[in-house]
Amino acid sequence: HYPLRRQRQMCIRDRIVIPSLIALNLSKSFKQTLVIASISSVIGIYIGIFTAYQFDLPAGGTIVLSLLGLFLISLLLKKN
């Protein structure tokens, strides 16, 4: 049961950290960081759940992959 628990911990950690990284790439103030992190988290979760449902995949990993995709997009749109 240890590997499964470890994987679950990593998924939970990633769902917290990645939206913050997205927001830090795109924001100029702390308030903007909070708003962008919240919005990117919700968008990533919706995309992940929709994709998981459509392709019969595990939701946790799919959410993390969708958040990683949003993070890569944020790197392209990164503030100056």
Side-chain angles (χ1 to χ4, degrees), residues 7-33:
Q7 181 185 14
R8 201 173 338 170
Q9 290 171 347
M10 288 172 50
C11 272
I12 292 170
R13 180 198 65 211
D14 291 342
R15 281 184 251 167
I16 294 170
V17 172
I18 296 173
S20 302
L21 295 175
I22 293 169
L24 288 173
N25 278 338
L26 301 176
S27 64
K28 295 178 182 167
S29 69
F30 182 69
K31 186 176 180 180
Q32 282 183 347
T33 303

Side-chain angles (χ1 to χ4, degrees), residues 7-8 10-16 18 44-45 48-49 58-71:
Q7 181 185 14
R8 201 173 338 170
M10 288 172 50
C11 272
I12 292 170
R13 180 198 65 211
D14 291 342
R15 281 184 251 167
I16 294 170
I18 296 173
I45 288 171
I49 289 175
T62 310
I63 291 170
V64 172
L65 287 176
S66 67
L67 287 170
L68 281 173
L70 291 174
F71 175 69

Side-chain angles (χ1 to χ4, degrees), residues 31-57:
K31 186 176 180 180
Q32 282 183 347
T33 303
L34 293 177
V35 171
I36 293 172
S38 299
I39 292 170
S40 65
S41 179
V42 170
I43 291 171
I45 288 171
Y46 279 127
I47 292 171
I49 289 175
F50 177 77
T51 305
Y53 178 76
Q54 290 295 317
F55 297 104
D56 196 28
L57 298 169

